[in-house]
Amino acid sequence: MFEWFECKVKYEKTLESGLVKKTTDTYLVDAVNFTEAEKRITEEVAPFMTGEFQVADIRRARYAELFWTSEESADRWFKAKLTFITLDEKSGAEKKTSHVVLAQAADLRAAVRRIDEGMKGSLMDYTIASVAETPILDVFRYQEVAPEHTQQGAREEAV
């Protein structure tokens, strides 16, 4: 079972003015554990980095759902807290539970629309308690490697 990990990568960035500035960017990867998260983020960002970089921080990120889009303008990620209202069958009282979701969108309004679209099929009543932009630049989902690309597959082809 994969979990989401928020990874911060430190590197030196050359500004348009020619100055070199140390910066930290945040990414999200899904992995089995912290070790795999570090390996995956290193593999994902290495082709885009010039010079040295370091994975400065990794922490578990608990998102119940991610709402993706293929829109070009949707280049930001918004974190939203959804509150679900259920009825306790025994007492008849309302019970509220919260879940945090992540939505890819161009702006705040689009993020709320994306969340509402994603929740259309839900049978539970919910309210959006809060929405805020995150510093996440990109999200890297786990992609399974086809059998012919694994070590065992490579050995079988060689035989």
Side-chain angles (χ1 to χ4, degrees):
M1 174 103 176
F2 292 96
E3 294 185 61
W4 291 107
F5 291 89
E6 202 170 278
C7 304
K8 295 189 182 214
V9 178
K10 274 187 180 179
Y11 65 100
E12 289 185 350
K13 181 180 190 176
T14 305
L15 302 175
E16 290 177 11
S17 62
L19 293 172
V20 177
K21 177 185 173 188
K22 286 188 180 187
T23 188
T24 303
D25 288 339
T26 305
Y27 300 93
L28 194 67
V29 297
D30 61 346
V32 175
N33 55 35
F34 286 90
T35 303
E36 185 187 7
E38 183 175 13
K39 178 182 180 255
R40 293 221 35 244
I41 194 61
T42 301
E43 290 170 354
E44 294 287 354
V45 300
F48 305 104
M49 299 287 172
T50 55
E52 291 189 24
F53 67 92
Q54 101 182 54
V55 179
D57 186 34
I58 300 175
R59 64 186 177 120
R60 197 176 312 271
R62 301 208 187 271
Y63 295 111
E65 186 84 36
L66 270 75
F67 298 109
W68 307 81
T69 183
S70 57
E71 291 177 17
E72 287 283 325
S73 62
D75 59 349
R76 297 189 279 175
W77 289 91
F78 293 84
K79 179 178 176 178
K81 181 179 176 183
L82 303 183
T83 304
F84 295 91
I85 303 164
T86 56
L87 288 175
D88 186 329
E89 291 179 17
K90 293 179 182 176
S91 67
E94 281 190 355
K95 181 180 175 185
K96 293 183 179 185
T97 56
S98 296
H99 293 282
V100 178
V101 299
L102 202 61
Q104 184 180 20
D107 58 31
L108 187 64
R109 286 185 182 96
V112 171
R113 280 194 307 272
R114 178 113 28 255
I115 292 164
D116 285 337
E117 285 172 17
M119 295 301 295
K120 270 185 186 172
S122 175
L123 299 175
M124 296 180 70
D125 291 332
Y126 71 94
T127 56
I128 299 174
S130 65
V131 180
E133 186 175 351
T134 69
I136 296 170
L137 291 183
D138 209 348
V139 175
F140 300 106
R141 288 187 267 196
Y142 178 77
Q143 295 176 354
E144 220 171 291
V145 177
E148 64 269 6
H149 298 312
T150 63
Q151 279 187 323
Q152 185 176 356
R155 274 189 250 127
E156 289 171 0
E157 287 177 10
V159 174

